[in-house]
């Protein structure tokens, strides 16, 4: 098996700001994918008390719902609520925007959903850009 035969489902996108983090979600998201993402975010919280986050769902193919209720996922979500200032989601299924709208009044962080063709607006809202590779 070659290293690229199974690329990660959630990949970090480097940004132009130290306290702005971004991820590209492709394929079917599993518990290990979520744990890896929250691990990267925990590292960010060690460096920055508050961060901005963009999640681009470019080729999302589903979610392992059992992963949403694992203890590590719940802990990751709790920490995220304390450390994320702005949270932008680009693309994804229609229910993402609906869920964000439902939970927005109960959250201390700013959240916005952007359509795929509005990705530049999402980056502008965070006052960040993807870093040149």
């Amino acid at each position: 098996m070659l290293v690229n035969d199974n690329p990660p489902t959630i990949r970090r996108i480097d940004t132009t700001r130290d306290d702005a983090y971004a991820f590209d979600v492709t394929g079917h998201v599993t518990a290990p994918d979520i744990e890896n993402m929250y691990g990267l975010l925990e590292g960010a919280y060690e460096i920055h008390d508050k961060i901005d986050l963009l999640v681009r769902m470019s080729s999302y193919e589903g979610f392992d719902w059992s992963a949403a209720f694992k203890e590590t996922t719940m802990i990751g979500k709790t920490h995220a609520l304390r450390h994320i200032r702005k949270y932008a989601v680009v693309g994804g299924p229609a229910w993402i925007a609906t869920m964000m709208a439902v939970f927005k009044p109960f959250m201390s962080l700013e959240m916005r959903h952007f359509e795929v063709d509005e990705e530049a607006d999402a980056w502008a809202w965070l006052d960040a850009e993807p870093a040149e590779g």
Side-chain angles (χ1 to χ4, degrees):
M1 178 168 94
L2 299 173
V3 173
N4 290 333
D5 283 350
N6 293 312
T9 301
I10 301 176
R11 291 186 287 278
R12 179 149 182 232
I13 301 169
D14 289 329
T15 73
T16 55
R17 280 187 29 224
D18 286 347
D19 62 344
Y21 289 76
F23 295 95
D24 188 28
V25 178
T26 60
H28 185 82
V29 179
T30 64
D33 297 320
I34 294 168
E35 288 174 16
N36 181 55
M37 182 185 72
Y38 280 130
L40 292 170
L41 289 173
E42 288 293 331
Y45 309 150
E46 291 293 322
I47 301 168
H48 307 284
D49 183 49
K50 296 287 185 181
I51 65 167
D52 293 332
L53 177 64
L54 181 141
V55 175
R56 178 175 61 204
M57 301 183 86
S58 58
S59 298
Y60 175 79
E61 294 176 3
F63 182 84
D64 179 1
W65 284 101
S66 65
F69 303 103
K70 288 185 72 170
E71 181 178 1
T72 53
T73 302
M74 299 304 274
I75 291 168
K77 288 178 186 177
T78 302
H79 287 174
L81 291 174
R82 286 189 295 222
H83 294 283
I84 296 176
R85 251 185 323 257
K86 287 185 172 183
Y87 177 43
V89 176
V90 178
W95 61 263
I96 296 281
T98 302
M99 292 302 291
M100 290 179 79
V102 167
F103 286 107
K104 188 175 184 176
F106 307 104
M107 303 292 182
S108 60
L109 61 131
E110 294 181 63
M111 298 188 298
R112 284 189 59 189
H113 179 265
F114 297 85
E115 297 299 328
V116 172
D117 62 350
E118 299 174 321
E119 182 174 343
D121 295 333
W123 285 104
W125 183 64
L126 294 181
D127 193 26
E129 296 177 0
E132 304 239 348

